[in-house]
Amino acid sequence: MKAFYEHIDSIEKQLFVFRNINLTFFDAPFHYHPEFELTYIIEGEGIRYVGMKMEEFRAGELVLLGSNLPHCWLNRPQPDGSNVAANVIQFSPKIFESSFFQLLEFEDLKQLFLLAQEGLVFDGHILEPRLQALFEQPPAKRILSL
């Protein structure tokens, strides 16, 4: 499967882009972009493709993807008409170019983002209230909360 480059226009004016997706099925093709991506699956199940890995996904998963890592989520429309839903946060790798991430206090975070180059999957249920709250906050507070 060939990955398509996705240009995220809004990332040129802000470091973080917050998107709430609610569709009958995920419609993004297998794609990549220079931005990191944090995706929380609110509803739905199907197959997740990340790099060369193919795995099942379900509600409650939190996925951190590194820069330029090809990915997509695929599912079929449900007979009952229910939707799939996800909260997606995309952020520029430029925020990691500063000396901020050279500080010892952020070594663990730096390692986390290095591991994200292969894709990381977490159980996001415990963070769901915080993730949902991010999408209801004003932009500056979102960044601080994140």
Side-chain angles (χ1 to χ4, degrees):
M1 188 173 356
K2 182 178 178 180
F4 294 92
Y5 175 78
E6 178 184 47
H7 177 76
I8 301 171
D9 291 327
S10 53
I11 205 74
E12 294 168 2
K13 297 179 184 172
Q14 55 197 57
L15 288 176
F16 293 86
V17 174
F18 290 77
R19 290 195 172 113
N20 185 283
I21 299 169
N22 192 331
L23 302 165
T24 54
F25 62 94
F26 291 126
D27 59 358
F30 193 56
H31 67 282
Y32 65 97
H33 41 74
E35 294 75 21
F36 282 79
E37 184 170 301
L38 185 63
T39 299
Y40 178 68
I41 304 296
I42 300 168
E43 294 179 47
E45 58 185 44
I47 302 293
R48 176 184 59 249
Y49 294 88
V50 174
M52 299 300 291
K53 294 185 282 186
M54 177 183 82
E55 300 173 321
E56 291 183 10
F57 76 84
R58 63 187 51 79
E61 287 184 356
L62 181 65
V63 180
L64 178 62
L65 303 172
S67 180
N68 293 313
L69 181 60
H71 60 280
C72 72
W73 279 254
L74 296 177
N75 65 302
R76 298 187 189 280
Q78 298 299 306
D80 66 0
S82 61
N83 282 1
V84 291
N87 283 338
V88 177
I89 303 169
Q90 295 167 319
F91 48 100
S92 171
K94 292 177 185 176
I95 63 175
F96 307 113
E97 294 173 358
S98 73
S99 59
F100 181 76
F101 282 94
Q102 305 307 316
L103 300 171
L104 291 176
E105 292 89 347
F106 295 101
E107 183 62 31
D108 289 343
L109 190 57
K110 182 179 174 183
Q111 291 303 314
L112 177 70
F113 289 125
L114 286 173
L115 292 171
Q117 290 306 119
E118 299 294 322
L120 297 171
V121 180
F122 305 94
D123 180 350
H125 283 103
I126 202 160
L127 295 173
E128 184 173 9
R130 285 183 153 174
L131 292 168
Q132 294 289 13
L134 280 174
F135 282 77
E136 298 165 7
Q137 297 172 350
K141 186 161 169 78
R142 283 180 175 175
I143 293 170
L144 293 173
S145 296
L146 186 59

